[in-house]
Amino acid sequence: MRIIYTILVSVMMLLASCTERIDLPLVQGEVEVRLNMSVEPEVSFMPETRGAYVADEATQEDVSIHNLWVLQFGGTTADALLREARYIEDFDPAEAIKLIATSVANRIILIANTFDSNLAFADCDNLGEFMDAFKPIADEVDATRLVAGKRCPIMSAYKDMVLTESGASVSFSLKRCICKANITIINNTLENSAPDINITSVTICSVPNKLFFYTSYDLPERFPAAASQDRIDYIDMEWTDGTEVDAKTRRFTFYLPVNKCGSVPSVSNPTMRAHHTPAGASYLRVLGTYTDASSIQRGVEYRIPLGTSADDCNLLPGGKYTYTLTINDPS
Protein backbone atom coordinates (compact mmCIF):
# COMPACT_ATOMS: atom_id res chain seq x y z
CA MET A 1 0.00 0.00 0.00
CA ARG A 2 2.81 2.43 0.78
CA ILE A 3 4.34 1.82 -2.64
CA ILE A 4 0.98 2.46 -4.40
CA TYR A 5 0.42 5.65 -2.35
CA THR A 6 3.88 6.93 -3.25
CA ILE A 7 3.20 6.33 -6.94
CA LEU A 8 -0.15 8.14 -6.75
CA VAL A 9 1.44 11.16 -5.03
CA SER A 10 4.18 11.28 -7.67
CA VAL A 11 1.61 11.18 -10.48
CA MET A 12 -0.44 13.97 -8.86
CA MET A 13 2.67 16.14 -8.48
CA LEU A 14 3.60 15.54 -12.10
CA LEU A 15 0.09 16.51 -13.26
CA ALA A 16 0.23 19.66 -11.13
CA SER A 17 3.57 20.68 -12.62
CA CYS A 18 2.18 20.13 -16.13
CA THR A 19 -0.84 22.26 -15.31
CA GLU A 20 1.39 25.12 -14.18
CA ARG A 21 3.20 25.19 -17.53
CA ILE A 22 0.12 25.39 -19.78
CA ASP A 23 0.25 29.21 -19.96
CA LEU A 24 3.93 29.32 -20.98
CA PRO A 25 4.87 29.86 -24.65
CA LEU A 26 4.94 26.51 -26.43
CA VAL A 27 7.81 26.19 -28.90
CA GLN A 28 6.58 24.52 -32.08
CA GLY A 29 9.66 24.75 -34.26
CA GLU A 30 10.24 27.61 -36.71
CA VAL A 31 8.08 29.58 -39.09
CA GLU A 32 9.14 31.62 -42.10
CA VAL A 33 7.70 35.09 -42.57
CA ARG A 34 8.27 37.94 -45.00
CA LEU A 35 8.73 41.43 -43.61
CA ASN A 36 6.81 44.12 -45.46
CA MET A 37 8.30 47.36 -44.16
CA SER A 38 7.44 50.99 -44.78
CA VAL A 39 8.82 54.15 -43.18
CA GLU A 40 6.50 56.56 -41.41
CA PRO A 41 6.73 60.11 -42.78
CA GLU A 42 8.15 62.78 -40.52
CA VAL A 43 5.54 64.54 -38.44
CA SER A 44 5.70 68.33 -38.78
CA PHE A 45 4.80 69.54 -35.30
CA MET A 46 5.26 73.21 -36.22
CA PRO A 47 4.05 74.66 -39.53
CA GLU A 48 6.53 76.03 -41.99
CA THR A 49 7.01 79.73 -41.34
CA ARG A 50 5.73 81.78 -44.25
CA GLY A 51 8.61 83.10 -46.29
CA ALA A 52 11.15 80.79 -44.63
CA TYR A 53 13.59 78.94 -46.84
CA VAL A 54 12.66 75.25 -47.16
CA ALA A 55 15.21 72.75 -48.41
CA ASP A 56 14.45 69.76 -50.58
CA GLU A 57 14.12 67.05 -47.92
CA ALA A 58 14.88 64.31 -50.45
CA THR A 59 18.42 65.60 -50.86
CA GLN A 60 19.13 65.42 -47.12
CA GLU A 61 18.12 61.94 -46.01
CA ASP A 62 18.24 58.30 -46.97
CA VAL A 63 15.52 56.18 -45.36
CA SER A 64 16.42 52.97 -47.17
CA ILE A 65 16.79 49.86 -45.02
CA HIS A 66 20.45 48.96 -45.28
CA ASN A 67 20.67 46.49 -42.41
CA LEU A 68 18.27 45.07 -39.88
CA TRP A 69 18.12 43.64 -36.37
CA VAL A 70 15.23 41.25 -35.70
CA LEU A 71 14.47 40.52 -32.05
CA GLN A 72 11.82 38.17 -30.68
CA PHE A 73 10.68 38.23 -27.06
CA GLY A 74 8.60 35.45 -25.49
CA GLY A 75 5.78 37.77 -24.45
CA THR A 76 4.83 41.45 -24.45
CA THR A 77 5.68 42.56 -20.91
CA ALA A 78 8.95 43.90 -19.55
CA ASP A 79 9.93 40.51 -18.12
CA ALA A 80 9.45 38.70 -21.45
CA LEU A 81 12.65 36.79 -22.18
CA LEU A 82 14.69 37.33 -25.34
CA ARG A 83 14.23 34.31 -27.58
CA GLU A 84 15.92 35.38 -30.81
CA ALA A 85 18.31 38.17 -31.89
CA ARG A 86 19.44 38.21 -35.52
CA TYR A 87 21.40 40.76 -37.52
CA ILE A 88 20.87 40.92 -41.29
CA GLU A 89 23.69 42.90 -42.85
CA ASP A 90 22.14 43.28 -46.31
CA PHE A 91 18.40 43.06 -45.92
CA ASP A 92 16.44 41.72 -48.89
CA PRO A 93 12.66 42.19 -48.47
CA ALA A 94 12.04 39.35 -50.94
CA GLU A 95 13.64 36.80 -48.63
CA ALA A 96 11.77 35.10 -45.81
CA ILE A 97 13.26 35.04 -42.33
CA LYS A 98 12.82 32.36 -39.68
CA LEU A 99 11.25 33.07 -36.31
CA ILE A 100 10.41 30.80 -33.41
CA ALA A 101 6.83 29.49 -33.49
CA THR A 102 4.69 30.08 -30.42
CA SER A 103 1.11 29.70 -29.26
CA VAL A 104 1.00 33.02 -27.38
CA ALA A 105 1.72 36.58 -28.49
CA ASN A 106 5.41 37.41 -28.84
CA ARG A 107 6.81 40.90 -29.38
CA ILE A 108 8.80 41.18 -32.60
CA ILE A 109 11.04 44.26 -32.77
CA LEU A 110 12.87 45.54 -35.83
CA ILE A 111 15.80 47.98 -35.60
CA ALA A 112 17.03 49.29 -38.96
CA ASN A 113 20.30 50.99 -39.91
CA THR A 114 22.48 50.46 -36.85
CA PHE A 115 25.39 49.41 -39.13
CA ASP A 116 26.64 47.32 -36.20
CA SER A 117 26.47 43.54 -35.78
CA ASN A 118 27.87 43.59 -32.25
CA LEU A 119 25.42 45.66 -30.23
CA ALA A 120 25.00 44.91 -26.53
CA PHE A 121 21.23 44.59 -26.73
CA ALA A 122 21.62 41.27 -28.59
CA ASP A 123 22.61 39.75 -25.23
CA CYS A 124 19.90 41.36 -23.10
CA ASP A 125 17.84 39.10 -20.84
CA ASN A 126 14.38 40.51 -21.36
CA LEU A 127 12.28 43.22 -23.02
CA GLY A 128 12.70 45.69 -20.15
CA GLU A 129 16.48 45.47 -20.38
CA PHE A 130 16.35 45.96 -24.14
CA MET A 131 14.18 49.09 -23.80
CA ASP A 132 17.01 50.70 -21.84
CA ALA A 133 19.61 50.02 -24.58
CA PHE A 134 21.02 53.15 -26.24
CA LYS A 135 23.75 54.50 -28.50
CA PRO A 136 26.07 57.08 -26.84
CA ILE A 137 25.91 60.54 -28.43
CA ALA A 138 28.95 62.82 -28.22
CA ASP A 139 28.04 65.17 -31.07
CA GLU A 140 25.55 65.49 -33.91
CA VAL A 141 27.52 63.20 -36.23
CA ASP A 142 26.60 60.31 -33.88
CA ALA A 143 22.85 60.83 -34.35
CA THR A 144 22.80 59.60 -37.96
CA ARG A 145 24.98 57.65 -40.37
CA LEU A 146 26.26 59.36 -43.51
CA VAL A 147 25.51 57.15 -46.53
CA ALA A 148 26.50 58.45 -49.98
CA GLY A 149 26.28 62.02 -48.72
CA LYS A 150 22.84 61.62 -47.12
CA ARG A 151 21.84 61.21 -43.47
CA CYS A 152 20.56 57.73 -42.65
CA PRO A 153 18.58 57.48 -39.38
CA ILE A 154 18.14 54.51 -37.05
CA MET A 155 14.50 53.38 -37.22
CA SER A 156 12.43 50.93 -35.18
CA ALA A 157 9.07 49.17 -35.18
CA TYR A 158 7.34 46.41 -33.23
CA LYS A 159 4.38 44.07 -33.48
CA ASP A 160 2.81 41.66 -31.00
CA MET A 161 1.81 38.49 -32.79
CA VAL A 162 1.25 34.74 -32.53
CA LEU A 163 3.46 32.81 -34.91
CA THR A 164 1.95 29.50 -35.96
CA GLU A 165 2.28 29.02 -39.71
CA SER A 166 4.93 29.76 -42.32
CA GLY A 167 4.32 31.94 -45.35
CA ALA A 168 2.77 34.97 -43.66
CA SER A 169 3.64 38.48 -44.82
CA VAL A 170 3.85 40.81 -41.83
CA SER A 171 3.69 44.61 -42.20
CA PHE A 172 5.81 46.90 -40.03
CA SER A 173 5.82 50.70 -40.01
CA LEU A 174 9.27 51.97 -39.06
CA LYS A 175 9.62 55.17 -37.08
CA ARG A 176 12.78 57.29 -36.88
CA CYS A 177 14.42 57.07 -33.46
CA ILE A 178 15.55 60.71 -33.79
CA CYS A 179 13.99 64.05 -34.69
CA LYS A 180 15.08 66.93 -36.91
CA ALA A 181 15.14 70.71 -36.45
CA ASN A 182 15.21 72.95 -39.52
CA ILE A 183 16.27 76.43 -38.45
CA THR A 184 16.34 79.58 -40.58
CA ILE A 185 18.13 82.65 -39.20
CA ILE A 186 17.56 86.06 -40.74
CA ASN A 187 20.00 88.77 -39.67
CA ASN A 188 18.07 91.96 -40.44
CA THR A 189 20.64 94.16 -38.70
CA LEU A 190 22.64 94.16 -41.92
CA GLU A 191 19.94 96.23 -43.61
CA ASN A 192 18.36 98.43 -40.94
CA SER A 193 19.56 101.22 -38.71
CA ALA A 194 20.39 98.95 -35.75
CA PRO A 195 24.01 98.10 -34.92
CA ASP A 196 25.24 95.34 -37.22
CA ILE A 197 25.42 92.01 -35.42
CA ASN A 198 28.16 89.59 -36.40
CA ILE A 199 26.82 86.08 -35.74
CA THR A 200 29.72 84.01 -34.45
CA SER A 201 28.13 80.62 -33.72
CA VAL A 202 24.95 78.58 -33.97
CA THR A 203 24.29 75.34 -32.09
CA ILE A 204 21.81 73.21 -30.13
CA CYS A 205 22.34 72.90 -26.38
CA SER A 206 21.08 70.52 -23.68
CA VAL A 207 20.88 67.51 -25.98
CA PRO A 208 20.49 63.99 -24.45
CA ASN A 209 23.71 62.04 -24.82
CA LYS A 210 21.76 58.82 -25.43
CA LEU A 211 19.97 57.73 -28.59
CA PHE A 212 17.60 54.91 -27.66
CA PHE A 213 17.18 52.12 -30.20
CA TYR A 214 13.54 51.56 -29.34
CA THR A 215 11.17 54.55 -29.32
CA SER A 216 8.18 53.12 -31.23
CA TYR A 217 6.08 52.39 -28.14
CA ASP A 218 4.19 54.99 -26.06
CA LEU A 219 7.02 56.84 -24.35
CA PRO A 220 6.73 57.80 -20.67
CA GLU A 221 5.97 61.36 -19.62
CA ARG A 222 9.68 62.18 -19.35
CA PHE A 223 12.16 60.54 -21.70
CA PRO A 224 15.03 60.06 -21.09
CA ALA A 225 14.28 59.94 -17.38
CA ALA A 226 17.11 62.26 -16.27
CA ALA A 227 15.92 65.87 -16.29
CA SER A 228 19.18 67.76 -16.56
CA GLN A 229 21.95 65.18 -16.19
CA ASP A 230 23.48 63.42 -19.16
CA ARG A 231 23.07 66.39 -21.49
CA ILE A 232 25.59 67.74 -24.00
CA ASP A 233 25.93 70.80 -26.26
CA TYR A 234 26.58 70.19 -29.92
CA ILE A 235 29.79 71.66 -31.32
CA ASP A 236 29.30 75.27 -32.42
CA MET A 237 28.72 75.88 -36.12
CA GLU A 238 29.90 79.08 -37.74
CA TRP A 239 27.52 81.36 -39.61
CA THR A 240 29.13 80.32 -42.88
CA ASP A 241 28.48 76.63 -42.11
CA GLY A 242 24.79 77.18 -42.78
CA THR A 243 23.19 76.94 -46.22
CA GLU A 244 23.13 80.43 -47.74
CA VAL A 245 19.74 81.69 -48.87
CA ASP A 246 20.76 85.31 -49.39
CA ALA A 247 23.20 87.79 -47.88
CA LYS A 248 21.33 87.97 -44.57
CA THR A 249 19.79 84.48 -44.33
CA ARG A 250 21.24 81.08 -43.51
CA ARG A 251 19.62 77.73 -42.89
CA PHE A 252 20.79 75.01 -40.46
CA THR A 253 19.54 71.44 -39.95
CA PHE A 254 20.19 69.51 -36.74
CA TYR A 255 19.45 65.85 -35.93
CA LEU A 256 18.60 65.20 -32.29
CA PRO A 257 17.82 62.30 -29.94
CA VAL A 258 14.31 62.16 -28.53
CA ASN A 259 13.82 64.49 -25.55
CA LYS A 260 10.48 64.71 -23.69
CA CYS A 261 10.66 67.37 -20.98
CA GLY A 262 7.15 68.80 -20.62
CA SER A 263 5.67 72.27 -20.92
CA VAL A 264 6.74 75.83 -20.14
CA PRO A 265 4.75 77.39 -17.27
CA SER A 266 2.78 80.58 -17.94
CA VAL A 267 5.10 83.57 -18.02
CA SER A 268 3.82 87.16 -17.95
CA ASN A 269 6.84 88.46 -19.86
CA PRO A 270 7.28 86.40 -23.07
CA THR A 271 10.90 87.51 -23.40
CA MET A 272 11.62 85.54 -20.20
CA ARG A 273 10.10 82.33 -21.53
CA ALA A 274 13.48 80.72 -22.25
CA HIS A 275 14.43 81.11 -18.58
CA HIS A 276 11.44 79.02 -17.45
CA THR A 277 11.76 75.98 -19.69
CA PRO A 278 11.73 72.53 -18.01
CA ALA A 279 15.06 71.16 -16.83
CA GLY A 280 16.90 69.35 -19.59
CA ALA A 281 14.95 70.89 -22.50
CA SER A 282 16.91 71.36 -25.74
CA TYR A 283 17.32 74.86 -27.16
CA LEU A 284 18.86 76.77 -30.05
CA ARG A 285 21.71 79.09 -29.06
CA VAL A 286 22.97 81.87 -31.32
CA LEU A 287 25.95 83.96 -30.26
CA GLY A 288 27.12 87.21 -31.82
CA THR A 289 28.87 90.52 -31.28
CA TYR A 290 28.20 94.15 -32.17
CA THR A 291 29.85 97.51 -31.62
CA ASP A 292 27.81 99.98 -29.56
CA ALA A 293 27.67 103.79 -29.83
CA SER A 294 30.78 104.08 -27.63
CA SER A 295 32.78 101.85 -30.02
CA ILE A 296 32.80 99.05 -27.42
CA GLN A 297 32.37 95.52 -28.72
CA ARG A 298 29.63 93.68 -26.87
CA GLY A 299 28.28 90.16 -27.01
CA VAL A 300 24.70 88.98 -27.55
CA GLU A 301 23.08 85.61 -26.97
CA TYR A 302 19.73 84.36 -28.24
CA ARG A 303 18.09 81.21 -26.82
CA ILE A 304 15.08 79.58 -28.45
CA PRO A 305 13.55 76.50 -26.70
CA LEU A 306 12.70 73.67 -29.09
CA GLY A 307 9.48 71.68 -28.95
CA THR A 308 6.16 70.69 -30.46
CA SER A 309 4.51 74.09 -29.84
CA ALA A 310 5.18 77.49 -28.32
CA ASP A 311 4.65 76.08 -24.81
CA ASP A 312 5.71 72.45 -25.30
CA CYS A 313 9.35 71.38 -25.01
CA ASN A 314 8.94 67.81 -26.24
CA LEU A 315 11.05 66.54 -29.13
CA LEU A 316 9.39 63.33 -30.31
CA PRO A 317 10.62 60.43 -32.48
CA GLY A 318 10.11 61.08 -36.17
CA GLY A 319 9.33 64.74 -35.52
CA LYS A 320 10.31 67.60 -37.81
CA TYR A 321 10.49 71.04 -36.24
CA THR A 322 10.76 74.26 -38.23
CA TYR A 323 11.85 77.57 -36.75
CA THR A 324 12.69 81.00 -38.11
CA LEU A 325 14.70 83.39 -35.94
CA THR A 326 14.67 87.00 -37.17
CA ILE A 327 17.20 89.31 -35.51
CA ASN A 328 16.29 93.00 -35.89
CA ASP A 329 18.55 94.52 -33.20
CA PRO A 330 20.74 93.45 -30.25
CA SER A 331 17.75 93.24 -27.90
Side-chain angles (χ1 to χ4, degrees), residues 8-316:
L8 287 174
V9 171
S10 300
V11 171
M12 292 177 65
M13 291 177 64
L14 179 61
L15 289 174
S17 66
C18 291
T19 302
E20 291 174 358
R21 293 184 62 84
I22 286 178
D23 293 333
L24 294 179
L26 302 177
V27 176
Q28 302 169 346
E30 293 182 328
V31 294
E32 289 189 339
V33 300
R34 281 182 169 81
L35 303 178
N36 180 21
M37 287 183 286
S38 59
V39 178
E40 293 185 17
E42 290 177 315
V43 179
S44 184
F45 287 100
M46 300 189 73
E48 304 286 351
T49 305
R50 184 174 298 174
Y53 171 70
V54 180
D56 179 5
E57 303 287 354
T59 66
Q60 293 181 318
E61 294 178 19
D62 172 14
V63 290
S64 305
I65 300 168
H66 296 277
N67 47 75
L68 188 70
W69 274 97
V70 182
L71 296 98
Q72 179 177 357
F73 291 89
T76 60
T77 57
D79 59 353
L81 299 179
L82 176 65
R83 307 183 71 191
E84 179 81 8
R86 185 177 308 166
Y87 179 72
I88 305 172
E89 187 170 3
D90 295 307
F91 173 71
D92 182 356
E95 293 184 6
I97 68 167
K98 291 183 178 180
L99 295 172
I100 301 172
T102 179
S103 60
V104 298
N106 274 205
R107 178 157 295 186
I108 311 300
I109 298 177
L110 307 181
I111 310 292
N113 299 337
T114 63
F115 295 91
D116 193 343
S117 62
N118 193 32
L119 290 170
F121 64 61
D123 297 321
C124 65
D125 291 330
N126 53 45
L127 178 58
E129 184 177 328
F130 166 73
M131 291 170 70
D132 291 332
F134 61 87
K135 175 183 179 180
I137 300 293
D139 192 35
E140 187 188 9
V141 294
D142 298 324
T144 57
R145 178 70 173 255
L146 197 62
V147 178
K150 295 184 179 181
R151 292 293 172 185
C152 184
I154 294 174
M155 302 179 287
S156 71
Y158 79 93
K159 183 158 288 190
D160 296 335
M161 54 190 298
V162 177
L163 300 163
T164 56
E165 297 181 1
S166 292
S169 179
V170 186
S171 296
F172 287 86
S173 184
L174 294 166
K175 178 184 292 186
R176 296 165 176 82
C177 297
I178 58 170
C179 58
K180 178 172 65 177
N182 289 329
I183 295 168
T184 302
I185 302 175
I186 304 172
N187 186 0
N188 273 344
T189 66
L190 302 176
E191 295 184 354
N192 60 24
S193 57
D196 289 349
I197 292 178
N198 174 40
I199 297 177
T200 56
S201 69
V202 178
T203 194
I204 304 293
C205 298
S206 190
V207 178
N209 65 356
K210 299 178 177 64
L211 190 161
F212 287 83
F213 292 106
Y214 183 45
T215 56
S216 297
Y217 68 103
D218 290 333
L219 298 177
E221 192 67 22
R222 183 176 288 278
F223 186 89
S228 56
Q229 298 80 19
D230 300 330
R231 295 296 194 270
I232 61 171
D233 296 344
Y234 279 168
I235 296 174
D236 288 345
M237 300 180 68
E238 296 182 2
W239 174 249
T240 53
D241 290 333
T243 301
E244 183 178 6
V245 181
D246 52 44
K248 64 178 182 178
T249 308
R250 296 267 175 172
R251 187 178 185 278
F252 300 82
T253 296
F254 296 93
Y255 294 91
L256 308 162
V258 175
N259 190 13
K260 287 187 68 177
C261 289
S263 302
V264 180
S266 299
V267 180
S268 57
N269 184 354
T271 63
M272 298 298 292
R273 177 176 175 272
H275 297 279
H276 294 271
T277 54
S282 301
Y283 61 91
L284 168 70
R285 185 187 69 194
V286 179
L287 301 178
T289 61
Y290 73 96
T291 303
D292 67 11
S294 302
S295 298
I296 298 175
Q297 189 176 76
R298 301 188 182 277
V300 290
E301 178 179 357
Y302 304 94
R303 292 190 178 191
I304 310 297
L306 307 182
T308 59
S309 69
D311 299 318
D312 193 312
C313 292
N314 292 327
L315 296 175
L316 304 178

